[in-house]
Amino acid sequence: MQVYKIVFLYLLIFNIPIEIQAQNTKLTPKSFILTGIIKNLPSSGKIGLGSLLENPSLLQLDSQWVHFNKGLFQFSGIVTDSIPVFIQCEMDNGGGIATDIFFIDQGLMHIELDYLTMRAEIPNIIGGKSNLYFKDLFGPAFRRNKDEIDSITNIMQGLDDIYKGDTLRMEFSKVRGKMAKASRKFREEIFSISKNNTGSLLPLYVLFHNFDDKFDDFTNWIQKLSYNDYIGQSIIFSALNNKANNRNQIKDGAIFPEFVFHFLSEKNNSIGTNQLLSKKYILIEFWFAKCGACIRQFNTFKDIHNESSIFRDSLNFVMITIDNLNQAYEANKISKQYPESWMSLWDVDGKIANQLDIYAFPFNVLLNKNGEVVKSNVEPYELIEILKRQ
């Protein structure tokens, strides 16, 4: 099941509750029922639930997708202690996708969501001890960070609408500097809280989901926290470490793994990663058809492509959609709006993106001709500077 998080600033504002108690190594799977309501829906549609930890023993759902009736829905299944899940809404009228992240417990729960503010507010979960603990421990820090990040995001999205040469790059540099400072301050505040709460996995999840591509920092910081044996040996702790290892495959300097992708317009044909290394640099861009931020970034790259010979001569631009079969047709139509030299590929259902622990889109990886990762999440203004330096 693919995971969409349509956020411009990735995972910095996600709200993540977790179980208060330490997770033992011998956990007993038990049933759960999650009922819910979503307000302010633009149309009818369906809602999906899935685990953020790639371990099928942690969550077994009776159904991953259900259609909501007047905003009402229900999920049930078996869960092993408290685990992080995502909930995802898709509209029948072709509207956007909204997601939220929280933790589910064993037993009966009820959640109330607002389609207009999903990802921006802590979900109201009745019967979930994890959510109450999260609100008390991390709520104030998340709210302070959200206000600061939202302010910077509004400025950045305005700048991202159109490429305007050196003036835009200079303004982007200033804003990105503010963003980096705010992000670092938030991580330091989260780490400060975490040092005093190592009897729970909550700090570990919150740290992990707010490091994005800075996983060397995550590894260094987590070594400074003293988790007890119950947590350190738990299957949930192990699953989380596996996620960190997956993301380390695309850290700076790593060799990008060899994968096989389908051509979007010729689904019976495929190409391997090594076959993409035909120029000095390769920019691999993961996206999906309903991602507005993805389209805006493509448009900016297209303007740079048209204006810059170094972009055209030195870079192989690869678009990889993570859409399912139903949305692949729309993705193919969108891809035809861009230069013919851009390669358009298909990661069916986002399976490869999931293996790399990529859940925020757009997400790109810049490789050199040897297949080494130069940088992840390269902004359009940064790309030209990198190409000029080499």
Side-chain angles (χ1 to χ4, degrees), residues 183-291:
S183 299
R184 185 69 188 183
K185 183 176 73 173
F186 178 60
R187 286 195 292 270
E188 288 174 350
E189 185 172 5
I190 293 298
F191 183 76
S192 178
I193 297 171
S194 302
K195 285 193 298 185
N196 299 318
N197 292 276
T198 55
S200 165
L201 275 174
L202 188 150
L204 188 60
Y205 282 113
V206 175
L207 280 171
F208 179 88
H209 281 289
N210 287 282
F211 271 83
D212 192 35
D213 57 345
K214 300 184 182 300
F215 276 83
D216 285 338
D217 282 350
F218 173 79
T219 302
N220 292 335
W221 284 23
I222 217 62
Q223 288 175 349
K224 299 176 183 177
L225 300 177
S226 300
Y227 282 91
N228 62 40
D229 290 340
Y230 288 121
I231 290 181
Q233 298 173 18
S234 71
I235 57 176
I236 299 180
F237 189 94
S238 175
L240 195 58
N241 277 337
N242 288 338
K243 285 170 68 67
N245 291 333
N246 288 342
R247 181 60 75 88
N248 281 332
Q249 296 179 90
I250 49 177
K251 71 178 183 179
D252 294 359
I255 299 295
F256 191 82
E258 174 65 16
F259 292 113
V260 175
F261 299 96
H262 295 279
F263 284 96
L264 187 55
S265 58
E266 304 171 37
K267 298 178 179 59
N268 292 328
N269 294 324
S270 58
I271 187 171
T273 302
N274 288 334
Q275 294 173 274
L276 304 176
L277 308 177
S278 58
K279 290 188 177 181
K280 191 171 184 179
Y281 290 99
I282 302 89
L283 187 69
I284 297 177
E285 184 92 17
F286 289 91
W287 68 293
F288 60 95
K290 291 185 178 181
C291 174

Side-chain angles (χ1 to χ4, degrees), residues 5-69:
K5 297 184 178 63
I6 314 173
V7 289
F8 187 75
L9 295 169
Y10 313 108
L11 298 166
L12 288 171
I13 62 172
F14 284 157
N15 306 306
I16 306 171
I18 190 172
E19 174 61 60
I20 301 174
Q21 303 299 323
Q23 280 76 2
N24 202 316
T25 55
K26 296 181 180 180
L27 300 174
T28 303
K30 294 183 179 179
S31 63
F32 80 93
I33 296 177
L34 175 67
T35 60
I37 183 171
I38 306 179
K39 302 175 182 178
N40 295 314
L41 287 166
S43 72
S44 59
K46 61 181 180 178
I47 187 166
L49 185 73
S51 172
L52 287 179
L53 299 178
E54 294 79 12
N55 188 324
S57 66
L58 299 177
L59 178 66
Q60 301 174 41
L61 293 169
D62 294 333
S63 177
Q64 284 191 320
W65 289 94
V66 296
H67 284 271
F68 41 73
N69 179 21

Side-chain angles (χ1 to χ4, degrees), residues 297-360:
Q297 191 173 76
F298 282 154
N299 291 339
T300 304
F301 279 127
K302 179 181 177 181
D303 289 335
I304 300 175
H305 171 96
N306 293 336
E307 295 181 11
S308 173
S309 60
I310 192 172
F311 185 103
R312 297 189 297 272
D313 297 339
S314 303
L315 184 76
N316 187 17
F317 196 96
V318 182
M319 307 166 64
I320 301 180
T321 179
I322 61 164
D323 280 301
N324 57 30
L325 182 61
N326 293 332
Q327 291 297 322
Y329 175 76
E330 183 64 26
N332 191 37
K333 285 200 309 182
I334 293 172
S335 69
K336 295 183 182 303
Q337 301 172 17
Y338 298 100
E340 292 184 4
S341 61
W342 292 13
M343 192 173 296
S344 188
L345 304 178
W346 186 20
D347 171 18
V348 182
D349 291 333
K351 293 178 180 178
I352 293 174
N354 287 349
Q355 290 180 44
L356 296 173
D357 202 63
I358 298 173
Y359 294 111

Side-chain angles (χ1 to χ4, degrees), residues 63-210:
S63 177
Q64 284 191 320
W65 289 94
V66 296
H67 284 271
F68 41 73
N69 179 21
K70 296 182 179 180
L72 299 173
F73 62 88
Q74 177 175 309
F75 288 99
S76 60
I78 304 295
V79 63
T80 302
D81 211 21
S82 297
I83 64 168
V85 298
F86 66 89
I87 197 164
Q88 172 182 318
C89 296
E90 290 192 13
M91 301 297 102
D92 289 339
N93 66 355
I97 299 171
T99 65
D100 214 336
I101 296 178
F102 53 93
F103 272 72
I104 59 173
D105 301 321
Q106 298 171 340
L108 300 176
M109 292 163 291
H110 179 78
I111 186 170
E112 296 181 2
L113 300 168
D114 189 324
Y115 182 82
L116 301 178
T117 60
M118 288 178 73
R119 307 187 317 271
E121 301 293 339
I122 298 175
N124 180 25
I125 304 177
I126 301 171
K129 295 179 294 184
S130 306
N131 199 51
L132 293 175
Y133 183 53
F134 169 72
K135 278 185 175 182
D136 291 341
L137 194 60
F138 285 96
F142 270 73
R143 283 190 290 273
R144 284 191 295 272
N145 178 70
K146 177 186 179 300
D147 290 342
E148 188 169 5
I149 293 297
D150 282 354
S151 176
I152 300 173
T153 301
N154 290 335
I155 298 173
M156 186 173 289
Q157 286 180 319
L159 293 174
D160 198 37
D161 285 339
I162 187 169
Y163 173 74
K164 296 179 181 177
D166 292 336
T167 301
L168 176 64
R169 290 200 295 274
M170 188 179 302
E171 292 301 316
F172 249 130
S173 296
K174 294 178 182 178
V175 178
R176 293 293 292 184
K178 292 180 180 179
M179 181 65 68
K181 185 177 180 180
S183 299
R184 185 69 188 183
K185 183 176 73 173
F186 178 60
R187 286 195 292 270
E188 288 174 350
E189 185 172 5
I190 293 298
F191 183 76
S192 178
I193 297 171
S194 302
K195 285 193 298 185
N196 299 318
N197 292 276
T198 55
S200 165
L201 275 174
L202 188 150
L204 188 60
Y205 282 113
V206 175
L207 280 171
F208 179 88
H209 281 289
N210 287 282

